[in-house]
Amino acid sequence: MAINRGVRAILKALSYGGIDLEPSRQFANLKALDPMKPFYHTIDYKIYNDGHEVPTRIYMPGEQGGKLCESLGCGHPVLLFFHGGGWVTESAENYDRVCSRMASSTNHIVVSVDYRLAPENRFPVPLEDCYAAAKALFQGKFLLNADPDKITVIGDSAGGNLAAALCLLARERGEFMPKRQILIYPALSNDYSENSPYPSVHENGTDFLLTARKMSDYLDMYAGCEEDRKSPYFAPLLAEDLSGQPRTLIITAEYDPLRDEGEEYGRRLMEAGTSVQICRIEDALHGFFALGIKFLHVQESFKLINGFLKEVWEDA
């Protein structure tokens, strides 16, 4: 069902201004006040990036949680997750419910990386934190006994950017290589001005909560300098060579300014020889993945994710 006029009017009223950092962070942190926290099967663990402690949180799926905690995974499939928030808000703590739901809905262990945030830590610090966590997990230097062939990299929004950039960086450095990635309405471009080539920026960039102006503010806080904006690790759509990338699922939202760039990235991956599924969730807004499991768009996303994971495991 399409978004009706009344809802559109409310969304438009809420879609104003740019990013006021501290209030945005305070609002995001309200999600950490979750009465369900005591029921999540989690383990907190730290890895190191050049001497800096990078917290991670491990979520065990469903009723298996206790047994998996005892065995520390024992080759159970893993989703390595990077949260959204425009590189400047959110945390592993704020995404507790999302990650716990992801673990139980996919029957995968979820490892959520609490990378450092901009603008205090600008590009490439958040990416390097994610890379360090991935390297530890893939190379067996992590708490879990993870099989590298059963690890899938996943992220939403800015986390989708980090997941895609990590896979490009992994190909470049040759220290490990993910075989699968799931990008949920990823931010992959470096321009959300009137010069953007993507119709969704112009069609959905003012009235649907996430605005083009807010995306521009996020990029301003993430970039350390103008030269950063030209890097494919900052904006993966800038990559001239997309060969050697992992099998990919891209999920986009219909009323999202990031919709077209995510789908364009999928097409470019296909042209480079990667197996890709591109799925658009009709009537959905950016950020829907963090809503409750009873929300139809979330249920549809997990059907897509589980179908993708089932297919790759059957083909393995």
Side-chain angles (χ1 to χ4, degrees), residues 12-307:
K12 184 173 183 177
L14 294 173
S15 303
Y16 63 91
I19 299 299
D20 194 344
L21 183 59
E22 288 310 314
S24 295
R25 285 180 171 174
Q26 291 171 16
F27 181 76
N29 289 340
L30 291 176
K31 287 179 282 187
L33 304 175
D34 185 351
M36 295 300 294
K37 280 181 182 292
F39 301 99
Y40 302 151
H41 297 287
T42 65
I43 302 172
D44 288 341
Y45 184 68
K46 294 179 180 179
I47 58 93
Y48 291 87
N49 174 24
D50 195 24
H52 175 79
E53 289 186 348
V54 180
T56 69
R57 181 162 291 176
I58 304 165
Y59 299 79
M60 301 297 183
E63 296 179 358
Q64 303 178 68
K67 294 181 180 179
L68 287 171
C69 283
E70 293 175 6
S71 64
L72 296 179
C74 284
H76 202 81
V78 175
L79 295 173
L80 178 60
F81 179 73
F82 310 123
H83 66 76
W87 306 278
V88 305
T89 69
E90 306 294 352
S91 65
E93 186 87 4
N94 296 349
Y95 265 69
D96 261 341
R97 181 167 291 203
V98 176
C99 291
S100 178
R101 182 186 66 215
M102 196 186 315
S104 62
S105 296
T106 63
N107 194 32
H108 279 55
I109 295 172
V110 173
V111 177
S112 179
V113 180
D114 210 5
Y115 57 86
R116 283 172 284 181
L117 299 177
E120 295 86 353
N121 299 281
R122 296 175 183 264
F123 174 85
V125 173
L127 174 58
E128 291 291 356
D129 282 352
C130 294
Y131 184 90
K135 181 179 176 180
L137 184 61
F138 276 90
Q139 294 188 346
K141 299 175 182 178
F142 196 79
L143 179 65
L144 290 176
N145 297 312
D147 179 347
D149 290 338
K150 294 183 179 180
I151 300 170
T152 302
V153 175
I154 178 172
D156 70 319
S157 193
N161 167 285
L162 293 168
L166 182 146
C167 291
L168 292 172
L169 193 58
R171 181 194 63 183
E172 175 70 20
R173 293 181 177 175
E175 296 177 303
F176 64 91
M177 191 65 215
K179 292 190 174 181
R180 292 162 303 280
Q181 65 176 342
I182 299 173
L183 311 179
I184 303 171
Y185 40 73
L188 302 168
S189 182
N190 66 349
D191 183 6
Y192 296 94
S193 70
E194 65 277 4
N195 298 319
S196 171
Y198 299 110
S200 62
V201 172
H202 308 290
E203 296 167 1
N204 303 327
T206 56
D207 298 339
F208 298 99
L209 299 183
L210 178 65
T211 64
R213 178 179 171 185
K214 288 177 180 176
M215 282 304 305
S216 295
D217 286 352
Y218 285 136
L219 290 185
D220 287 344
M221 286 185 274
Y222 185 41
C225 61
E226 278 302 311
E227 196 64 26
D228 288 345
R229 293 172 180 265
K230 302 175 185 178
S231 169
Y233 306 126
F234 181 91
L237 271 168
L238 297 178
E240 296 181 2
D241 178 10
L242 287 176
S243 63
Q245 290 303 284
R247 193 168 183 170
T248 302
L249 169 64
I250 296 177
I251 298 176
T252 63
E254 182 177 3
Y255 294 106
D256 182 357
L258 307 187
R259 181 195 68 206
D260 292 348
E261 65 195 67
E263 295 173 3
E264 172 67 14
Y265 193 67
R267 287 189 289 270
R268 289 191 54 204
L269 285 172
M270 288 183 195
E271 292 170 359
T274 295
S275 174
V276 181
Q277 297 177 33
I278 305 171
C279 303
R280 181 187 297 185
I281 307 296
E282 294 183 3
D283 303 327
L285 303 176
H286 186 90
F288 74 83
F289 192 67
L291 299 175
I293 189 61
K294 293 184 178 179
F295 198 73
L296 292 178
H297 295 152
V298 177
Q299 293 179 15
E300 186 175 351
S301 294
F302 276 115
K303 287 181 181 178
L304 294 169
I305 290 170
N306 282 323

